[in-house]
Amino acid sequence: MTGDRALADDLLQQVFLQAFRDLDTLRDVGQARAWLFGVAHHRCLDALKARRRAALHFQESPELPEGESRAPTPAEDIDQHRRERALEACLGELSEEVRAAVILRFHDQMTYEAMAEILGEKAATLQARVARAMPVLRRCLESKGMEP
């Protein structure tokens, strides 16, 4: 369904992890196979949706040939440090729950399912928190003179 063997292997692990975690919600053991296929189908759809979203938001850039990387200029270093301080200040204005979700998602690059296990929340709840936090962070950064 995904057309990507590595992604399919990752999804397989997610499916069995979710099945193990949610096994107590299965009411009819005779329907276990259908239930498991349903879980797998939905995880595949989630992955395909995430891939489409990523393709819309990110363009692949050609990599620099070996040996052509350059050190940032002092001005670039100062700008980067200024952006980091502004982001830290804006993150500090978020509630602890929202800040944790944003940091796990973007800094630690965790999936919502992995975040849910760590934070003891539903993946959909964490996804909604992050989605609601992004415009707030954007406005905060813009108020501090940062370009999106």
Side-chain angles (χ1 to χ4, degrees), residues 63-100:
E63 292 187 28
L64 292 175
E66 286 294 318
E68 290 194 29
S69 63
R70 65 173 181 84
T73 66
E76 290 171 336
D77 275 341
I78 291 170
D79 286 344
Q80 178 65 25
H81 184 66
R82 195 170 137 246
R83 282 191 296 274
E84 288 171 1
R85 281 193 328 234
L87 181 58
E88 286 174 8
C90 291
L91 284 169
E93 295 176 13
L94 298 174
S95 71
E96 186 176 327
E97 295 84 14
V98 174
R99 184 173 49 249

Side-chain angles (χ1 to χ4, degrees), residues 55-131:
L56 289 174
H57 295 292
F58 302 104
Q59 294 179 349
E60 288 197 24
S61 60
E63 292 187 28
L64 292 175
E66 286 294 318
E68 290 194 29
S69 63
R70 65 173 181 84
T73 66
E76 290 171 336
D77 275 341
I78 291 170
D79 286 344
Q80 178 65 25
H81 184 66
R82 195 170 137 246
R83 282 191 296 274
E84 288 171 1
R85 281 193 328 234
L87 181 58
E88 286 174 8
C90 291
L91 284 169
E93 295 176 13
L94 298 174
S95 71
E96 186 176 327
E97 295 84 14
V98 174
R99 184 173 49 249
V102 169
I103 289 171
L104 287 174
R105 180 69 181 121
F106 294 107
H107 182 268
D108 298 338
Q109 298 180 345
M110 295 184 80
T111 65
Y112 290 108
E113 289 77 18
M115 291 166 54
E117 282 189 39
I118 290 172
L119 298 174
E121 300 272 355
K122 291 183 178 181
T125 301
L126 296 170
Q127 189 171 6
R129 279 185 193 159
V130 170

Side-chain angles (χ1 to χ4, degrees), residues 22-35:
D22 297 341
L23 190 58
D24 59 334
T25 64
L26 180 63
R27 294 191 177 121
D28 182 5
V29 176
Q31 295 295 319
R33 184 170 193 247
W35 176 75

Side-chain angles (χ1 to χ4, degrees), residues 37-55:
F37 275 108
V39 171
H41 180 77
H42 284 96
R43 291 301 69 79
C44 288
L45 291 176
D46 290 345
L48 293 173
K49 189 176 3 173
R51 184 188 293 168
R52 276 194 311 272
R53 272 195 310 263

